[in-house]
Every structure is written in C-alpha cells, then in structure tokens.
Amino acid sequence: MLIYVLIATDRLEEKQEKKLRQNLPELQVALQAYAEANEANQVTLINDCASDDCEDWQLGISQPIKKHIQLNFPVNLFNDLAKKYEIDCEVGYIEDGEREPVSYFGKHEGQGEAFLIAEYLGL
C-alpha cells in the first residue's frame, strides 16, 4: 500500500498560515532529509508549494507500507514536526494516483498513533 502524510494546509487561520509560511524552509529541509535518508524504502518527497495560496500547497512524503510497524517512522516524524511547528497533518493512501485521506493528527488534532492509523488504512 502506498501511503502519504501531508502537512494540512486547508482551513488555516491567518495566524497559522503566517507561521506556516515562516517555517516552510525548515519543514522542506526536514522532509527532504527524511526522504533522502529513507531512499532505500522508496520514500518520496511531495513538495509543491509554488502557489501563493497556502491552501493549495502539498508538502509531505509518500511511502510504500506493507506492515503497520512501518508507519512508526513517518508518524513519529510528523508528530515531532507538529509539536515543533504547531501544524496538523493528513495521512491516507494513494490508489490509482488519487489521494484518499483517512486521518488527521498534530497540534490541534492530537498526536498521531501509528497503530490506529494502520487500522484506518486497513493494514
């Protein structure tokens, strides 16, 4: 199963949007480093932040997952980013090139739990 984890950029308040814009370079570096460190696991960086409107941004990773234990690393990474940068995250699966969200977690949604997310994904 191909999963994705994105920084949630929809329905942000003005203050949250401003903070996200300020932290964008650091978030991009952190996600790029994760993708490069996990290249053997086919982790791919999703980095489409060219729009002037934060709501259109797509920033995160995609990764093939076979066992629920493999969710620990990306979920822990995004939990850490959520805590540090006060963001929320969207997790789901990709099928036929389409993303299907299954859960949200982070600063406002609460900490993500890999086991529960695996259940939502049907792993």
Side-chain angles (χ1 to χ4, degrees):
M1 170 180 289
L2 184 61
I3 63 111
Y4 72 90
V5 188
L6 293 175
I7 293 170
T9 59
D10 57 334
R11 296 172 293 193
L12 295 178
E13 295 173 7
E14 192 175 323
K15 184 178 173 185
Q16 292 171 305
E17 192 173 307
K18 183 178 179 184
K19 190 165 191 158
L20 179 60
R21 286 182 189 280
Q22 289 173 338
N23 293 323
L24 180 63
E26 291 177 46
L27 288 163
Q28 288 170 317
V29 166
L31 293 172
Q32 178 70 41
Y34 178 81
E36 288 173 2
N38 292 282
E39 201 171 342
N41 297 327
Q42 299 173 314
V43 173
T44 304
L45 176 68
I46 301 169
N47 186 5
D48 181 9
C49 302
S51 173
D52 289 336
D53 189 355
C54 281
E55 196 166 306
D56 296 333
W57 290 0
Q58 302 285 307
L59 181 61
I61 54 112
S62 65
Q63 177 175 345
I65 299 283
K66 292 183 181 163
K67 299 176 185 171
H68 70 84
I69 195 88
Q70 294 172 306
L71 277 172
N72 286 340
F73 295 110
V75 170
N76 288 340
L77 168 70
F78 279 86
N79 276 329
D80 290 346
L81 293 174
K83 200 179 300 178
K84 184 174 182 178
Y85 297 106
E86 300 181 7
I87 56 171
D88 285 320
C89 308
E90 172 186 313
V91 62
Y93 62 91
I94 301 172
E95 192 172 285
D96 299 326
E98 296 291 318
R99 292 190 191 120
E100 187 63 41
V102 297
S103 184
Y104 292 85
F105 64 94
K107 171 69 176 168
H108 302 95
E109 297 288 335
Q111 185 167 341
E113 294 184 36
F115 181 78
L116 287 176
I117 293 169
E119 291 288 314
Y120 300 148
L121 290 167
L123 288 173

